[in-house]
Amino acid sequence: MSLVDSAPSSHTHDAAASAALNAEDRARILAKAALFSPPDATLPDGRRDLVGLSRDELTELLVEIGEKPFRTKQLWHWIYHQGVTDFSAMSSIAKPLQAKLAERFVVGRPQAAMVQTSTDETRKFLFRFRDGQEAETVYIPDRREDRGAVCISSQVGCTLSCTFCHTGTQKLVRNLGAAEIVGQFMAARDSYSEWPSPKGDTPRLLSTIVLMGMGEPLYKYENIAKAMKIIMDGEGIALSRRRITLSTSGVVPLMDRCGEELGINLAVSLHAVTNELRNEIVPLNRKYPIEEVLAACRRYPAANNSRRITFEYIMLRGVNDSEADARELVRLISGLPAKVNLIPFNPWPGSAYRPSTREQQNKFAQIIMDAGFSSPIRTPRGRDILAACGQLKTESERIRAAQS
Ligand code: SAH
Ligand code: SF4
């Protein structure tokens, strides 16, 4: 079953019809996403996981067990600022209440089924969730500074089947819930002992989030939105919206909402400059073609000259890497507050493409830079542990078999 219909959309409708269509599409995507829901937040023993609840939901639960709403602030601090998972370590809460909470609730974490560290220090986690499903999270340290980015997955698998992506070869198993999305970040922090959360601008290793792991984050926008609101909450993890980037393959109806509600940075996986090629390599293009994706970028509320939209462009030898392609790319994005991130293709077993030559990458980058756009070529990280972009796929069984 696919989350999207692949019928091409009409390009002739006027703005009002387009808005109505967007609303309709948005409703359809959200309804379908519900079919791929994460497991219930209540454990088999009846205890409820508190991670992933909004403040209001947490308050409701506390009131249900006869506690005052002000406890929410206390618990929030312990869970999201201190990173504590054990109620008995919550020292500002009296012992009897600690016991009462422990009887009814847990502060959950996904289980690290595997952790691999690359020769370049990139660390890949395979997290197992309560129903046994697994997804990968990658920590990518910055080479120059004592900080880095956590690359978070949004789905187990992906429905979209981009031809160059390893995740796309795995069919969608399910969406990840807010608890599982926040949980990936919290568990990665556990691994680096990075609690409590910093106040203000105190640097931390795990200082940035990129929603660029397995899956299409805008196909489960509500879960992502809930998780990001928890992560941005100033009394908890308190990560600024400027330090969070969501990468989408171009789910147009939800791009606006993401900008309005969350105000996080946007990255768009463009990868081709003609609809003909993009239809083939990013099949979602048949639904939301290049011109609609770019129009959504032009409207994106959280973009300006100090916060540019990143266009991701994978360099596939002889497929999309000509100088004419580079010039067309410049034409398409002209006038946008944009930068282009050129991604060398990361091969995976069975992939059909080859990376562009270094020379071709440089020529391509130069054309974009000459037009005034920053155009870094992304250094592949963690290739030795299949942690680089597009290499993620839950292959625990295979790796475990290879190790035993
Ligand atoms: N689904 C979202 C986010 C996850 S993919 C999206 O497509 O944007 C994160 C980035 O890795 C995307 O730009 C994606 O196109 C790119 N990518 C996928 N496979 C890749 C590969 N084999 N080599 C390099 N980049 C790849
Ligand atoms: Fe899904 Fe993104 Fe991979 Fe495409 S590139 S298959 S949208 S994860």
Side-chain angles (χ1 to χ4, degrees):
M1 179 164 195
S2 162
L3 283 181
V4 282
D5 306 317
S6 53
S9 61
S10 153
H11 312 304
T12 51
H13 43 252
D14 60 17
S18 161
L21 185 69
N22 269 355
E24 211 176 279
D25 273 1
R26 194 158 46 229
R28 185 181 50 77
I29 293 165
L30 295 176
K32 284 196 179 173
L35 299 175
F36 296 91
S37 295
D40 201 77
T42 305
L43 277 61
D45 66 9
R47 287 180 304 161
R48 174 80 161 77
D49 190 355
L50 296 182
V51 174
L53 296 175
S54 67
R55 273 176 184 265
D56 287 349
E57 289 167 338
L58 187 55
T59 306
E60 246 172 66
L61 276 187
L62 291 169
V63 170
E64 263 172 37
I65 64 162
E67 293 301 324
K68 294 267 183 315
F70 79 86
R71 295 283 179 203
T72 303
K73 195 177 161 75
Q74 258 180 343
L75 264 175
W76 194 272
H77 176 85
W78 284 111
I79 298 173
Y80 295 114
H81 181 79
Q82 300 287 352
V84 163
T85 53
D86 182 354
F87 291 104
S88 66
M90 300 182 176
S91 54
S92 63
I93 297 177
K95 288 257 177 301
L97 180 53
Q98 286 178 359
K100 182 174 170 186
L101 293 171
E103 260 170 43
R104 294 165 174 82
F105 305 122
V106 293
V107 180
R109 287 285 195 274
Q111 181 200 343
M114 190 166 14
V115 182
Q116 290 172 283
T117 306
S118 157
T119 47
D120 69 13
E121 299 296 314
T122 297
R123 189 176 291 180
K124 178 165 89 166
F125 304 86
L126 177 69
F127 286 126
R128 183 173 305 146
F129 304 107
R130 262 209 306 283
D131 59 355
Q133 293 299 342
E134 294 171 338
E136 285 160 328
T137 306
V138 182
Y139 173 65
I140 310 146
D142 193 301
R143 286 178 193 282
R144 289 153 306 203
E145 293 177 68
D146 251 6
R147 48 177 53 206
V150 187
C151 179
I152 288 182
S153 289
S154 55
Q155 298 181 308
V156 180
C158 186
T159 41
L160 290 175
S161 312
C162 300
T163 49
F164 46 79
C165 175
H166 202 199
T167 305
T169 65
Q170 186 188 14
K171 72 177 207 296
L172 179 72
V173 179
R174 69 169 174 81
N175 294 323
L176 295 180
E180 295 166 326
I181 295 162
V182 179
Q184 291 174 62
F185 183 76
M186 295 173 88
R189 256 197 168 174
D190 292 346
S191 152
Y192 288 88
S193 304
E194 284 241 307
W195 301 101
S197 286
K199 286 246 186 271
D201 284 335
T202 320
R204 275 292 188 276
L205 287 177
L206 282 63
S207 54
T208 310
I209 286 182
V210 291
L211 291 160
M212 292 186 184
M214 298 166 67
E216 168 49 60
L218 292 185
Y219 266 162
K220 42 172 320 300
Y221 171 76
E222 283 167 348
N223 300 1
I224 288 284
K226 195 171 178 194
M228 293 308 116
K229 284 178 190 166
I230 292 171
I231 283 176
M232 293 190 288
D233 186 294
E235 291 182 1
I237 294 167
L239 215 64
S240 149
R241 64 198 159 86
R242 295 168 184 276
R243 298 201 154 275
I244 302 176
T245 302
L246 178 144
S247 172
T248 179
S249 55
V251 184
V252 168
L254 289 157
M255 285 163 68
D256 299 282
R257 213 170 136 190
C258 175
E260 277 154 26
E261 278 183 21
L262 304 177
I264 58 181
N265 305 322
L266 183 69
V268 174
S269 294
L270 195 62
H271 304 320
V273 293
T274 63
N275 282 322
E276 194 190 359
L277 179 62
R278 199 164 186 268
N279 282 345
E280 184 193 321
I281 67 176
V282 182
L284 184 65
N285 195 70
R286 296 177 208 154
K287 182 77 187 153
Y288 307 115
I290 292 176
E291 51 281 12
E292 290 192 17
V293 172
L294 291 175
C297 291
R298 289 184 200 282
R299 305 191 288 268
Y300 195 71
N304 53 47
N305 275 335
S306 62
R307 295 179 67 203
R308 289 160 204 224
I309 293 178
T310 304
F311 287 97
E312 295 161 285
Y313 196 94
I314 190 166
M315 300 293 290
L316 305 172
R317 191 186 302 189
V319 176
N320 66 353
D321 64 348
S322 72
E323 285 133 81
D325 287 325
R327 284 190 292 272
E328 179 59 7
L329 177 56
V330 165
R331 194 188 68 78
L332 287 175
I333 63 172
S334 67
L336 267 164
K339 62 182 170 204
V340 177
N341 206 333
L342 296 177
I343 314 178
F345 169 63
N346 289 313
W348 36 272
S351 58
Y353 300 102
R354 283 183 305 159
S356 302
T357 60
R358 190 80 204 164
E359 191 195 353
Q360 197 57 28
Q361 283 177 19
N362 290 340
K363 273 191 199 159
F364 198 100
Q366 195 59 51
I367 293 171
I368 297 166
M369 283 185 290
D370 288 348
F373 295 100
S374 131
S375 181
I377 301 173
R378 193 183 283 175
T379 319
R381 307 290 300 273
R383 265 188 177 173
D384 54 335
I385 54 168
L386 282 187
C389 285
Q391 293 184 310
L392 297 184
K393 182 179 173 185
T394 324
E395 288 199 293
S396 44
E397 298 308 322
R398 187 182 62 77
I399 296 168
R400 266 188 221 114
Q403 283 172 342
S404 60

